[in-house]
């Protein structure tokens, strides 16, 4: 052999030998490693040893500084708004995609009024998820079912004698138009107040009461004993006006002191958070209900009006009877979504206040505006 090929061959052999013998590259044999097993068809199975922990570091967590703590200054802003507003007011804010919440009078009970329609619809959708009801189920509504106050559906019942609607249409009417008749029809169909209370208890929603239904609730708040004739025209208002002032005041004070439909702002914010996270209903029912709440027509100048362009809001309002300029429950609860997808549950509830309606709406707008202002800080 010539000199050059011999040198090349010698160097290759040296490199190959170095690769094969390097202890830094060739792994040590696993202890108690089993031999390969040959199958009947000639296939070979090689046992796999214990998994080796990854050397990659775990993620440090969300980069968003507002995930685990409320933005600096938001709690102080909410407190100042709450402190300056006259009367008994409750406020709660909870970051749905995070780990914090804040509140003022968050644990106290406030009259819900039509906010309670949300629990009726949740109970109905839970029954649908369980196969006990269907969205296309038909419900008959007659004159004997009429209630009081806001019930646009009553005009159809009076004109046609009776109306038959699907559960789906009743939900849309009860939530988006806050129709008392549609809501009470759903309540009757799902099993009455006890069925809603059972749902609240089953889901462990906390300090949320459910009243006896629209007719008994409003009659009791006014100091009346319900009669079905009150559902006709303005008979309810006439009977209420005929009561002695002391009777009305006593009934109203008793209701406000211990509302049969009372709920705490913090419990409602938590329930909205669980709804948005998808832990109360099936994925289909969760998406459906959030879509309905996004179409709410009532309260356009409450919480919704305080959010800047680009934010989305789904909500339910509640407004009670008025006595001497004081309303027994003036509320708005909902889920605000920032342009980047971050979600907040916002609850503002007023039990008693001497402030006029424009001032009430201004407070609500200031609360939602503060959430948007401090978002991302």
């Amino acid at each position: 052999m010539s000199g050059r090929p011999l040198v090349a061959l010698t160097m290759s052999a040296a490199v190959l030998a170095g690769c094969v013998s390097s202890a830094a590259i060739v792994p040590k044999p696993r202890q108690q490693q089993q031999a390969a097993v040959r199958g009947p068809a000639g296939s070979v199975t090689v046992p796999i040893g214990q998994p080796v922990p990854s050397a990659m570091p775990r993620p440090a967590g969300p980069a968003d500084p507002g995930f685990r703590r409320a933005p600096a200054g938001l709690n102080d802003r909410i407190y100042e708004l709450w402190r300056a507003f006259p009367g008994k007011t409750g406020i709660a804010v909870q970051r749905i995609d995070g780990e914090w919440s804040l509140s003022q009078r968050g644990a106290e009970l406030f009259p819900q009024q039509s906010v309670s329609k949300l629990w009726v619809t949740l109970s109905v959708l839970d029954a649908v998820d369980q196969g006990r009801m269907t969205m296309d189920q038909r419900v008959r509504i007659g004159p004997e079912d009429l209630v009081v106050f806001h019930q646009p559906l009553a005009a159809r019942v009076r004109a046609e004698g009776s109306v038959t609607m699907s559960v789906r249409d009743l939900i849309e009417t009860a939530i988006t138009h806050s129709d008392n008749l549609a809501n009470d029809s759903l309540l009757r169909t799902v099993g009455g107040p006890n069925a809603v209370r059972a749902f609240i208890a089953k889901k462990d929603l906390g300090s949320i009461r459910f009243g006896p239904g629209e007719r008994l609730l409003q009659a009791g708040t006014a100091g009346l004993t319900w009669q079905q004739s009150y559902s006709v025209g303005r008979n309810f208002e006439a009977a209420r006006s005929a009561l002695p002032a002391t009777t009305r005041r006593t009934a109203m004070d008793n209701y406000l002191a211990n509302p049969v439909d009372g709920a705490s702002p913090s419990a409602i914010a938590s329930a909205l958070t669980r709804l948005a996270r998808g832990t109360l209903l099936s994925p289909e029912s969760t998406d459906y209900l959030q879509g309905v709440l996004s179409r709410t027509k009532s309260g356009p100048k409450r919480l919704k009006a305080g959010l800047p362009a680009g934010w989305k809001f789904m909500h339910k309002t509640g407004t009670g009877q008025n006595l001497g300029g004081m309303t027994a429950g003036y509320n708005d609860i909902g889920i605000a979504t920032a342009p980047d997808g971050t979600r907040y549950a916002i609850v503002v509830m007023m039990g008693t206040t001497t402030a006029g309606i424009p001032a009430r709406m201004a407070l609500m707008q200031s609360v939602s505006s503060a959430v948007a202002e401090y978002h991302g800080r």
Side-chain angles (χ1 to χ4, degrees), residues 86-100:
K88 180 182 177 181
T89 305
I91 300 173
V93 178
Q94 182 166 349
R95 174 153 170 171
I96 293 170
D97 311 294
E99 300 176 351
W100 61 264

Side-chain angles (χ1 to χ4, degrees), residues 41 67 81 96 132 170 182 197 209 217 244 302 339 342 352 356:
F67 184 85
L81 292 170
I96 293 170
R132 294 183 284 109
L170 284 173
R197 294 171 190 142
R209 295 175 176 177
L217 173 67
R302 299 190 190 187
T342 304
T352 59

